[in-house]
Amino acid sequence: MDKVVEFIKKNKVKVAGAFIMIAAFVILLIINLHVDYTSDDFRYRFIYDTPGNPLPTTKKISSLWDVIISMINHWKLCNGRVVAHGLLQMVMPFGKLFFRIFNSLVYVSLGFLIYKHSVYGKKSNLSLLVLVYIGMWFFLPQFGLSVMWASGAANYLWCAAIMLSFMLPYRMYAANGADSVKDSWKNAVLMGLFGIFAGCTNENTGGGVVLICTLFILFYKIKGFKIPKWSWIGVITAVCGCCTSFGGSGELPH
């Protein structure tokens, strides 16, 4: 018990921050427990093989391969938001409780990412963390559609977390230079792969990711920082992902 008290005293800010995020998680989970699937949520429990409702012969999603096939069809028949809907189809088979817990965790993660982008390189500010979660509640557009609705959460909440995660190394490097993110080929490969997903999140916001990361690189140049290879490789692959997000021909191959 003494060790626990000593740990809390030494890490008061981290412990308080953890309690704030746990409180945000519990609140959103309680709300999530009162929201059911609706509209497109039922459609994405099946392999996407027609723009309309599933056919009697349409197979229910049961494996990662089913998701891959479904998203190839989705890209051809509907739109290129394969990252959002692919994630949704990977979560759906685990049941409603799993989705609600996962969705609440992503919500908390998004708030934390917003906070980290705001204070990185500065002193921790728990009041700001609280304000971030309050601000998300009041200012996220159409909260029910973009956070609570499963298909909407996948498109907007989850993809926002992916994009902010991808941009965090750029923010870290802008604050602390080479001391924050090592300029290695390992990081370049990781950022290259991550860039594809971040750019492919949405045909609108994917372009925003490319623009912001390009501006970060320009900032490095102006400040005289060495431009790390992971930064421009990430931008290039994000462009590729962004181009992919626009979807295909509108029909399945014969």
Side-chain angles (χ1 to χ4, degrees):
M1 186 65 182
D2 291 337
K3 289 183 178 180
V4 174
V5 173
E6 184 180 350
F7 175 82
I8 292 174
K9 286 181 178 179
K10 287 183 178 180
N11 300 273
K12 288 188 291 185
V13 175
K14 291 182 179 179
V15 172
F19 273 111
I20 292 170
M21 289 188 287
I22 290 171
F25 170 78
V26 171
I27 291 170
L28 198 78
L29 180 59
I30 291 172
I31 299 171
N32 260 301
L33 290 172
H34 291 83
V35 178
D36 212 338
Y37 291 154
T38 184
S39 186
D40 291 351
D41 301 342
F42 298 103
R43 178 69 187 88
Y44 286 112
R45 297 177 70 184
F46 297 84
I47 290 178
Y48 201 96
D49 56 2
T50 173
N53 294 323
L55 301 172
T57 56
T58 300
K59 181 184 176 185
K60 206 169 185 178
I61 294 291
S62 60
S63 68
L64 179 60
W65 182 247
D66 288 343
V67 175
I68 293 172
I69 295 298
S70 180
M71 287 301 99
I72 291 173
N73 293 342
H74 194 282
W75 186 85
K76 291 181 175 294
L77 292 170
C78 186
N79 60 52
R81 297 185 182 184
V82 295
V83 171
H85 295 120
L87 281 172
L88 181 63
Q89 290 202 308
M90 284 191 280
V91 170
M92 283 287 192
F94 292 99
K96 293 179 182 179
L97 180 60
F98 181 86
F99 164 79
R100 287 160 176 163
I101 293 172
F102 181 81
N103 194 47
S104 302
L105 286 172
V106 176
Y107 178 83
V108 173
S109 299
L110 178 61
F112 181 70
L113 285 164
I114 294 171
Y115 169 76
K116 290 298 289 184
H117 274 276
S118 302
V119 304
Y120 194 85
K122 304 174 185 176
K123 188 178 180 180
S124 298
N125 186 340
L126 295 180
S127 298
L128 179 60
L129 181 60
V130 174
L131 287 173
V132 166
Y133 287 117
I134 293 174
M136 289 172 67
W137 173 262
F138 284 105
F139 299 117
L140 282 178
Q142 295 184 298
F143 192 89
L145 295 179
S146 59
V147 175
M148 310 309 300
W149 176 36
S151 297
N155 273 276
Y156 306 112
L157 176 67
W158 301 0
C159 285
I162 291 172
M163 289 183 285
L164 287 184
S165 297
F166 174 70
M167 291 188 287
L168 188 58
Y170 291 88
R171 174 70 180 88
M172 294 165 62
Y173 196 85
N176 293 335
D179 294 334
S180 53
V181 185
K182 187 178 179 181
D183 184 18
S184 65
W185 279 109
K186 176 184 176 181
N187 286 340
V189 171
L190 291 173
M191 287 297 286
L193 292 172
F194 202 178
I196 295 173
F197 291 100
C200 193
T201 48
N202 185 300
E203 66 274 13
N204 301 310
T205 52
V209 168
V210 173
L211 175 61
I212 292 172
C213 292
T214 301
L215 290 175
F216 269 120
I217 294 175
L218 180 60
F219 175 81
Y220 305 155
K221 182 69 175 177
I222 293 172
K223 287 292 186 179
F225 294 168
K226 177 187 175 184
I227 299 177
K229 47 184 166 286
W230 57 259
S231 64
W232 54 263
I233 288 175
V235 168
I236 291 171
T237 57
V239 170
C240 296
C242 186
C243 292
T244 304
S245 69
F246 284 93
S249 61
E251 60 181 16
L252 291 174
H254 297 291

